[in-house]
Amino acid sequence: QVQLVESGGGLVQPGESLRLSCAASGIDPSLYTMGWYRQAPGKQRELVATVTRGDNKNYVISVKGRFTISRDNAKNTMYLQMNTLRPEDTAVYYCNLNGVSRYYWGQGTQVTVSS
């Protein structure tokens, strides 16, 4: 059974940083593209960043230069380092694994940026 478990969310002030983690089990995540999505209240879920099995990374333009996606295959874990956070980054952040026949999702972790 594939499980993705996010952690690291919280409440921070504008300009501060957070690092999200996504631990995978039941699958070898190094074989697949993984990513982070987010969903703010009243909005659709949007793609934030992806990292391929070859370590190619892509970001939505609103987080480029502030967020960094990475993966540690030895730990079956993916990360999202978020710097210079803004109030508009407030959302539930979801870990995603793009499997051969389906997507897998974590339960989400709340990130709130507020003064």
Side-chain angles (χ1 to χ4, degrees):
Q1 180 182 0
V2 177
Q3 279 194 315
L4 302 176
V5 180
E6 301 100 333
S7 60
L11 171 63
V12 296
Q13 294 189 345
E16 294 186 339
S17 300
L18 278 175
R19 189 177 80 155
L20 305 183
S21 300
C22 171
S25 60
I27 196 168
D28 182 354
S30 69
L31 301 178
Y32 303 96
T33 292
M34 295 188 72
W36 289 97
Y37 289 69
R38 65 186 180 187
Q39 188 166 18
K43 295 189 176 181
Q44 288 190 328
R45 191 173 297 190
E46 68 166 350
L47 176 64
V48 176
T50 59
V51 56
T52 69
R53 59 181 292 179
D55 210 37
N56 292 312
K57 301 170 184 179
N58 285 286
Y59 300 90
V60 67
I61 194 168
S62 61
V63 307
K64 273 187 177 180
R66 300 189 298 123
F67 291 11
T68 302
I69 191 170
S70 63
R71 62 198 307 170
D72 185 335
N73 291 331
K75 296 182 178 180
N76 286 349
T77 301
M78 176 180 65
Y79 304 97
L80 186 68
Q81 177 66 44
M82 305 185 295
N83 298 329
T84 319
L85 282 160
R86 304 168 180 169
E88 54 264 38
D89 295 317
T90 295
V92 178
Y93 284 70
Y94 296 92
C95 170
N96 168 269
L97 185 148
N98 186 357
V100 174
S101 58
R102 59 165 289 184
Y103 276 24
Y104 296 92
W105 296 94
Q107 81 287 353
T109 185
Q110 177 70 46
V111 172
T112 302
V113 185
S114 176
S115 55

